[in-house]
Amino acid sequence: KGDIIGHFGLGFYSVFMVSDKVEIMTLSSTEGAEAVHWTSEDGMSFELGAGERAGHGTDVILHISEEEKEFADEFRVRQVLNRYCGFMNTPVYLEVVKEEAPKTDAAEGEEAPAIEVKEPERINPNAALWLKAPKDCTEDEYKQFYRDVFHTYEDPLFYVHLNVDYPFNLKGILYFPKLTNDFGTREGEIKLFSGQVFVADNIKEVIPEFLMLLKGVIDCPDLPLNVSRSFLQNDGYVKKISAHITKKVADKLTSLFNTQRETYQSYWDDIAPFVKYGCMKDNKFYESVKSVLLLKTTKDEYLTLEEYATRNGEKAGKKVFYTNDAKRQAASVELYTQRGIDVAVMDTIIDGNFLSFMEYGNYPKDGEESLSFARVDADVSGLTEDSDEGKELDADKLQELFRKALGKDELPVKLEALANADMSAMVTEDEQSRRFKEMSRLYGQSFAMPDQFTLVLNRRSATIQALAERDPEDETTALLCQQVYDLARMAAQPLEAEEITAFLNRSQKLLGMLVK
C-alpha cells in the first residue's frame, strides 16, 4: 500500500526482530515473469535465486526464533493482527494450520502426522466508522463502535465526530466516558491511526494532554510518523491538528449547552473534572468554554458563573461560596441558604487547583474585579447584616475572656452582627492558608503551618451578651466559653478524639449545674 510505506512501525525489516531467518517467495503478475526466492538471516546479507512459486503473489515465511516463539501462537498472532490491522482497507486473513497426533497411513503402513487446516478467517471485517460522514452514522453505530473498540459494556456520555479534509486530512471520533471523582487515577485511550493502520495509543505530541482523559480514534494519514517525538512536539503542522481537535471539543460542549442545556447539565457531574482540567491546561480551550462552565449548588441546580453572580448579587459580592463536603459542613451551608445565597459544591480532586486558576485574573473581563471563592467556613461576609444589637459590647474584653478560658493566647476573636441571632459564634479558617495545607497534603508534602482559625462572636446573640456581663474569674464562665467555642468548631468539622471527650464531660458538668 503505497501511501503507508516508509511510515513508522511498518518497515519490512521489523521481521528480523522475531525471526532467525526470513524467506520470500514471489512471482510477479507481469506476463513472462519468473518466480524468485529471497533468503536472509539478518537482513544485511541475502541469497537470491530462482523460485518455485506457480501462481503470482508473494509468501513471506518467518522462521521464529526460540526467544520469540510466542509469535507462533495463534492467540498472539490474532492479537497483533487485530490491534494493528483491524481497520485496514486491505482484507487480512488468518489461516491456522495445526499438526495433530500421527496416524497410520493405510497405503504405506507408516505413521504420518495429520494436518488440520482451518478456513481462512478475515481479521478486519469491520468498517472504520470514523471514515463515514457524521450524517450517515446512527446513534447505535456510534455506541456499538465504542463498545467494540474499547471492550466495555458501558455507553459513552456523548461523542465528537472529527471530519476534516482541508487544510489537513483528519478523521476520528472522540468519546466522553464517565469520569467522576477518580479521574486523577484514570487514563483515557485515544488510538492514533495513519491510513487506517494503527500506530500507537495516546501520543501526547499529537493529542492535547487534557484530552487524554477521553477515549477515541484519530486517523491522520499526513502525520510525519517516521520522525522523532521531539520533532512532532515542535512541528507546526502537528500543532495545527492539535489545536483543531481542541476547538472541535470546545464547540461540541458549547453547542450542547446552547441547544440542549438539560442534557448538558445531566453530563456535568461526569465531565466537570475533564473540562476544568482542560481550562487550566489550554487557555484557548478556556476562552471557548468559560461561558458554559457550571456551578452545581447544594440544591442540585446548575448555574453559570454569570448566573451565580446575578442571582446572589450584593449578598455574595464578588464571591462564590462553596463547600467541598456538603454533609460535613451542613451547618455552615445552612447559614448561607437561609440567607438566600447559593452554595456551590466543589468536591472533586481538581477543584483546589481550579479555584486558584479562576481567581488569578482568568474569569473577569477587562476592568472587572476578579472573582474569588470562599468555603462556607472561611469567613462571614455573606452572613452579616446591618444591626445595632450588641454594638456596646467590648470586643477587646471578650477576646481576653475567651483567650483565657481556652488557653489560646493568640486566637483572633471578632465581633460581628450575624443574621442568625440564635447562633452564638462561628469558627472560620483562612481560605488561602487552608488551601495551601490541603494542596501540600495532596502532593505528599508536609509543612508545619499553624492553623489560622478565627472565633467570630455574634453580638446579636443573647448568650454572648450575657457572657460579656459575667465574672471572667468564675469557673462557670470559663466552661461556657469553652462550650461556645467547641459548638462553633463542630458546625464546621468534627472534633478530634480528646476534644470530643472533653466536650462531653463538660456538657455533663454544665447540665448538672443547670438542674441544681
Side-chain angles (χ1 to χ4, degrees):
K1 185 171 167 57
D3 59 344
I4 61 175
I5 292 175
H7 283 55
F8 175 77
L10 299 173
F12 162 73
Y13 283 94
S14 62
V15 294
F16 290 100
M17 295 173 67
V18 298
S19 307
D20 289 331
K21 177 181 176 182
V22 177
E23 296 181 76
I24 299 178
M25 299 178 182
T26 185
L27 175 60
S28 171
S29 60
T30 304
E31 187 175 348
E34 296 182 358
V36 176
H37 182 199
W38 181 94
T39 307
S40 176
E41 295 183 357
D42 58 8
M44 304 297 290
S45 59
F46 59 88
E47 294 180 5
L48 191 64
E52 298 179 355
R53 185 178 176 89
H56 73 264
T58 301
D59 293 327
V60 180
I61 303 169
L62 279 60
H63 297 260
I64 304 297
S65 65
E66 184 65 26
E67 296 81 7
E68 305 294 343
K69 61 182 180 181
E70 64 171 302
F71 288 100
D73 178 75
E74 176 189 349
F75 174 79
R76 187 73 175 96
V77 173
R78 186 182 298 274
Q79 184 185 51
V80 171
L81 290 175
N82 280 329
R83 180 173 174 81
Y84 290 95
C85 308
F87 293 101
M88 283 181 64
N89 263 337
T90 305
V92 177
Y93 292 88
L94 175 63
E95 182 178 86
V96 180
V97 179
K98 289 187 176 180
E99 187 175 288
E100 295 184 341
K103 294 181 181 179
T104 301
D105 188 306
E108 301 292 334
E110 298 178 356
E111 291 188 348
I115 303 298
E116 178 191 357
V117 181
K118 294 183 179 179
E119 284 294 317
E121 174 190 354
R122 183 166 177 181
I123 291 296
N124 55 347
N126 298 322
L129 186 65
W130 64 84
L131 295 182
K132 294 176 64 175
K135 63 181 178 62
D136 297 329
C137 301
T138 67
E139 191 76 12
D140 287 341
E141 283 180 318
Y142 281 120
K143 291 180 178 179
Q144 189 60 50
F145 183 77
Y146 176 78
R147 291 191 289 265
D148 290 344
V149 172
F150 300 105
H151 310 293
T152 180
Y153 295 105
E154 192 177 69
D155 284 338
L157 293 173
F158 57 99
Y159 47 84
V160 180
H161 195 141
L162 306 169
N163 189 13
V164 182
D165 293 317
Y166 182 83
F168 40 75
N169 189 347
L170 175 68
K171 302 285 191 292
I173 306 171
L174 295 178
Y175 291 94
F176 286 70
K178 293 185 177 181
L179 295 179
T180 65
N181 285 2
D182 70 340
F183 87 104
T185 63
R186 295 178 57 179
E187 187 177 65
E189 185 181 357
I190 297 184
K191 298 178 178 294
L192 181 64
F193 289 77
S194 178
Q196 296 163 251
V197 178
F198 176 74
V199 176
D201 287 319
N202 298 350
I203 294 188
K204 294 180 174 62
E205 291 76 17
V206 178
I207 302 159
E209 182 183 353
F210 70 93
L211 292 181
M212 292 297 178
L213 296 171
L214 305 185
K215 293 180 181 290
V217 295
I218 289 177
D219 194 334
C220 192
D222 299 331
L223 278 178
L225 297 177
N226 57 342
V227 296
S228 68
R229 285 192 159 184
S230 60
F231 178 90
L232 287 175
Q233 195 171 26
N234 297 298
D235 183 64
Y237 181 78
V238 173
K239 287 181 178 179
K240 288 180 181 179
I241 293 174
S242 179
H244 181 81
I245 294 171
T246 299
K247 180 180 183 302
K248 293 297 289 185
V249 171
D251 289 347
K252 178 69 175 185
L253 293 172
T254 54
S255 174
L256 268 175
F257 175 84
N258 292 327
T259 61
Q260 304 176 54
R261 176 158 179 173
E262 287 189 8
T263 301
Y264 180 79
Q265 290 178 177
S266 71
Y267 297 152
W268 183 252
D269 289 354
D270 291 300
I271 67 172
F274 152 78
V275 177
K276 293 172 183 177
Y277 183 54
C279 287
M280 292 189 293
K281 297 298 293 185
D282 189 312
N283 194 60
K284 287 186 178 179
F285 179 75
Y286 166 73
E287 289 296 329
S288 298
V289 302
K290 64 182 180 181
S291 63
V292 301
L293 294 174
L294 297 181
L295 297 170
K296 180 184 178 180
T297 74
T298 53
K299 296 178 180 178
D300 287 333
E301 294 181 292
Y302 293 85
L303 307 173
T304 65
L305 291 164
E306 185 175 346
E307 289 168 346
Y308 183 94
T310 301
R311 270 181 48 162
N312 295 284
E314 295 180 0
K315 291 180 292 184
K318 293 295 292 184
K319 288 185 178 179
V320 172
F321 292 100
Y322 73 94
T323 174
N324 58 5
D325 190 331
K327 291 183 179 178
R328 187 172 177 177
Q329 297 154 8
S332 298
V333 170
E334 181 65 17
L335 295 174
Y336 285 89
T337 55
Q338 286 176 349
R339 292 272 291 163
I341 297 175
D342 294 298
V343 176
V345 179
M346 311 289 283
D347 59 359
T348 67
I349 194 172
I350 198 174
D351 278 324
N353 282 319
F354 182 69
L355 300 182
S356 298
F357 166 79
M358 295 298 289
E359 287 172 337
Y360 281 99
N362 288 287
Y363 171 71
K365 298 176 182 177
D366 292 340
E368 287 188 356
E369 181 185 352
S370 179
L371 189 71
S372 64
F373 291 77
R375 203 169 78 175
V376 286
D377 56 355
D379 64 36
V380 294
S381 58
L383 302 176
T384 60
E385 64 177 39
D386 188 14
S387 171
D388 291 333
E389 289 183 77
K391 269 193 172 181
E392 72 282 358
L393 296 183
D394 187 332
D396 292 336
K397 182 180 176 181
L398 279 167
Q399 177 170 269
E400 183 180 350
L401 175 68
F402 273 85
R403 282 181 173 180
K404 181 178 180 180
L406 299 170
K408 298 179 181 293
D409 295 337
E410 303 298 326
L411 177 68
V413 179
K414 294 171 58 177
L415 268 179
E416 296 282 0
L418 300 181
N420 185 348
D422 295 328
M423 170 167 279
S424 56
M426 283 185 66
V427 170
T428 62
E429 183 176 9
D430 179 70
E431 176 77 13
Q432 296 305 322
S433 64
R434 193 204 75 248
R435 281 194 214 172
F436 184 76
K437 286 189 294 183
E438 289 175 351
M439 293 303 296
S440 298
R441 287 196 297 269
L442 181 63
Y443 291 109
Q445 300 171 335
S446 179
F447 296 97
M449 287 186 61
D451 293 329
Q452 296 189 29
F453 294 115
T454 298
L455 177 61
V456 180
L457 302 176
N458 185 6
R459 58 182 169 84
R460 299 183 63 223
S461 164
T463 300
I464 300 303
Q465 293 170 7
L467 273 175
E469 301 298 323
R470 289 186 64 89
D471 179 3
E473 302 300 325
D474 183 67
E475 179 189 5
T476 305
T477 301
L479 291 174
L480 289 170
C481 288
Q482 293 165 13
Q483 199 75 351
V484 166
Y485 180 71
D486 279 353
L487 285 170
R489 288 188 60 202
M490 291 171 68
Q493 61 185 25
L495 298 178
E496 301 295 334
E498 294 179 0
E499 295 169 333
I500 193 65
T501 300
F503 173 80
L504 293 173
N505 290 338
R506 188 188 320 118
S507 298
Q508 296 292 347
K509 191 172 184 178
L510 287 170
L511 283 173
M513 293 177 177
L514 184 63
V515 297
K516 287 181 180 178

